[in-house]
Amino acid sequence: MLFGYAVTAWDVSKNSGDSYIAVGFIGQSLSSGADFSDNWGSSNLYNVSTNVLGNTWKVYFSTAGNNLKLAIKNAETANPVNNNAAAQCKILLAQLMYECTTLYGDVPFTQAWDPEKFPYPKYDSQQSVLESVLSLLEEAKAQIDPSSPFKIADYDVFYGGNMSKWTKLANSIKFKTLMVMADKDPSKAAAIGQLVSNPTTMIASAAENLRVLYTGNTNNENPKFRLFGGENPFTYASKAVTDIMVPKNDPRLKKYFDLPTGQTQYIGVPANVDANASTSLISLYLYRKNAPSLILSYQELLFLQAEAYARGLGVAKNLTTANTLYKQALQVAMEFYEADPTDIANYMKTPANGGHLVDLTTAADPVKEIHLEQWVDLMDRPLEAFVQWRRSGPDGSEVPLLTLPKDATPGPLIRRFTLSPDELAANPNIPNPQPKYFDKMWFDL
């Protein structure tokens, strides 16, 4: 039950109000149309609501993180010991803390969730937290015993207690984490190479995606549907996204965006610029009752594998292999969003044959092409899109190139959340000086 509550609290935050909308606006994968609705609209101007900062922090350290730690303790002190349940909780906790540090930077980890021993936990460096994420995943994998009947099954909304899939998930989170670390720590290339050379040890099909399924029944609707009540009052297509998709006639346009009445073109709007009657809204298809909440996907891993081969990270550089993985990633991504099969087939043709598929073996910058499509795929997953954008290139060369929102405070683009006001008031061990929204993180080039 601790596990189940943690998953629910996490998914509601990640895929609806606080994290989804605010991060989407600051990362420009969503646009507000200059609508300053409630807690979220002013995120375009880097004035992130204290409710957003505080509620998101509480998920990682209280309603989700602390519950997982309690569940781990219960599982490991049970008689008999429930190692599988402990491993399931550790793998999820690793994913949570990966998200937490990529959003907030340096955060408590080694002294977190132990208020009796550490009432004021110290902050660990982001590099240390990411290393701890990797260690936690390895610890969890070592605990997994597929032959044991003791595990979380009924409350496991992801894999129903299938421990082989949990092992694959652990390797997938490890791979994603290593790719985020690789530019600042090139020694991670060897571990990347081991996983890329054995891709079946990770999520290897859409059926193995880490996602929460919803039925559409009362109280089991997707969090985005519950947030908006089946309507969409103020989340618009971002021009940064449509500028990539429209020239290619991307088959996902019909799934990502809704055309206003009388319009035939998908038109996005820049950050904090007024929307108008011709601006496309984020589609109600994405906000439907039974839309799944996607957390880690097969296509995401395929794009990362393509990048590893395109760059030669832990494997010999091979643009032919990268191109094959890139094409597969695009196909899987478009199928996930249920794009029209005929439109997909037409898109996947080369430009010489009337299609829009870029050939990485001849592209001027194959890694940039991978990053562009990775970011487009993550449009409806803003936290992941924000991480992808920051890791895609040095400051000023990210993919895509984003510009300062209209009327935002002059200066650098936003790179992070600042700390929760509650945490600032409660913990004397907060970093000094306190992080600012434009401070780059350790992994950020």
Side-chain angles (χ1 to χ4, degrees):
M1 292 184 72
L2 289 166
F3 174 94
Y5 186 82
V7 168
T8 301
W10 173 42
D11 190 47
V12 168
S13 173
K14 182 178 175 66
N15 287 300
S16 64
D18 294 322
S19 179
Y20 174 80
I21 295 179
V23 180
F25 287 170
I26 67 175
Q28 300 186 35
S29 54
L30 308 175
S31 182
S32 72
D35 184 334
F36 296 101
S37 300
D38 198 20
N39 290 323
W40 306 300
S42 58
S43 299
N44 277 322
L45 302 182
Y46 303 165
N47 179 24
V48 182
S49 162
T50 57
N51 290 332
V52 168
L53 297 172
N55 291 342
T56 306
W57 181 270
K58 287 170 186 173
V59 167
Y60 294 128
F61 289 102
S62 180
T63 54
N66 191 56
N67 279 4
L68 290 173
K69 287 291 287 189
L70 290 172
I72 292 166
K73 180 179 179 181
N74 288 353
E76 292 183 335
T77 57
N79 186 15
V81 173
N82 193 336
N83 281 321
N84 284 330
Q88 289 167 284
C89 293
K90 288 177 182 179
I91 293 167
L92 273 198
L93 184 62
Q95 170 67 24
L96 260 69
M97 294 314 295
Y98 164 88
E99 293 179 10
C100 183
T101 189
T102 55
L103 198 51
Y104 289 97
D106 298 352
V107 294
F109 189 100
T110 54
Q111 293 184 359
W113 310 292
D114 190 354
E116 293 184 5
K117 190 173 182 179
F118 301 110
Y120 307 113
K122 71 172 185 177
Y123 278 64
D124 298 307
S125 70
Q126 182 173 75
Q127 182 179 12
S128 174
V129 173
L130 291 172
E131 292 286 1
S132 295
V133 165
L134 296 176
S135 297
L136 190 60
L137 291 168
E138 291 301 315
E139 183 182 319
K141 287 195 297 177
Q143 281 186 290
I144 290 176
D145 179 6
S147 65
S148 172
F150 298 107
K151 56 191 174 183
I152 298 171
D154 291 346
Y155 280 78
D156 177 5
V157 297
F158 304 114
Y159 300 122
N162 185 321
M163 299 312 298
S164 296
K165 291 184 178 180
W166 277 96
T167 299
K168 285 189 168 191
L169 174 61
N171 286 328
S172 301
I173 298 171
K174 177 181 178 181
F175 176 45
K176 179 178 67 173
T177 303
L178 290 167
M179 290 295 286
V180 167
M181 300 176 74
D183 286 310
K184 291 300 286 285
D185 183 358
S187 70
K188 298 305 181 192
I192 289 171
Q194 290 176 359
L195 290 166
V196 170
S197 300
N198 297 279
T200 58
T201 63
M202 300 185 285
I203 291 171
S205 71
E208 295 175 343
N209 286 345
L210 181 67
R211 77 284 185 270
V212 180
L213 295 177
Y214 292 94
T215 64
N217 296 333
T218 302
N219 296 324
N220 191 238
E221 305 99 337
N222 181 281
K224 296 169 194 170
F225 174 86
R226 293 174 68 94
L227 175 69
F228 291 129
E231 299 178 358
N232 179 4
F234 60 80
T235 52
Y236 293 90
S238 166
K239 188 174 185 296
V241 178
T242 56
D243 279 354
I244 300 170
M245 298 181 74
V246 169
K248 298 180 179 181
N249 196 24
D250 193 300
R252 291 166 291 184
L253 282 166
K254 299 174 185 176
K255 297 297 184 176
Y256 279 15
F257 311 116
D258 285 337
L259 286 171
T261 302
Q263 298 297 314
T264 59
Q265 296 294 322
Y266 294 93
I267 298 174
V269 61
N272 197 44
V273 172
D274 288 336
N276 56 44
S278 64
T279 307
S280 297
L281 284 158
I282 301 298
S283 71
L284 292 183
Y285 167 81
L286 295 178
Y287 296 165
R288 68 195 188 278
K289 288 183 178 182
N290 63 342
S293 283
L294 186 60
I295 300 168
L296 181 56
S297 71
Y298 180 39
Q299 65 258 30
E300 183 179 357
L301 297 175
L302 286 170
F303 279 122
L304 290 173
Q305 291 172 56
E307 179 186 342
Y309 277 104
R311 296 176 58 185
L313 284 175
V315 290
K317 184 175 179 178
N318 189 325
L319 288 180
T320 299
T321 302
N323 194 52
T324 299
L325 290 163
Y326 169 77
K327 289 166 60 178
Q328 188 179 0
L330 274 171
Q331 181 85 27
V332 173
M334 291 177 180
E335 289 174 352
F336 175 83
Y337 287 105
E338 301 178 302
D340 182 85
T342 301
D343 291 343
I344 295 175
N346 289 333
Y347 182 94
M348 298 296 285
K349 296 175 183 177
T350 62
N353 294 310
H356 297 278
L357 185 66
V358 174
D359 185 343
L360 298 187
T361 65
T362 58
D365 190 343
V367 175
K368 178 181 177 181
E369 298 296 336
I370 296 169
H371 285 323
L372 278 172
E373 290 295 349
Q374 180 80 297
W375 193 73
V376 168
D377 175 59
L378 297 172
M379 185 278 292
D380 192 46
R381 298 170 55 203
L383 193 152
E384 286 76 17
F386 191 38
V387 174
Q388 170 60 26
W389 175 76
R390 285 176 290 164
R391 64 169 288 272
S392 65
D395 192 0
S397 300
E398 299 93 348
V399 181
L401 288 176
L402 301 178
T403 57
L404 195 71
K406 175 179 172 289
D407 297 330
T409 303
L413 290 166
I414 192 168
R415 317 300 295 194
R416 61 186 299 146
F417 270 10
T418 54
L419 293 175
S420 159
D422 292 338
E423 174 70 2
L424 293 175
N427 190 349
N429 286 325
I430 59 171
N432 185 18
Q434 296 174 24
K436 304 294 190 294
Y437 74 83
F438 51 77
D439 288 340
K440 295 173 71 173
M441 297 182 176
W442 172 79
F443 81 88
D444 195 355
L445 299 177

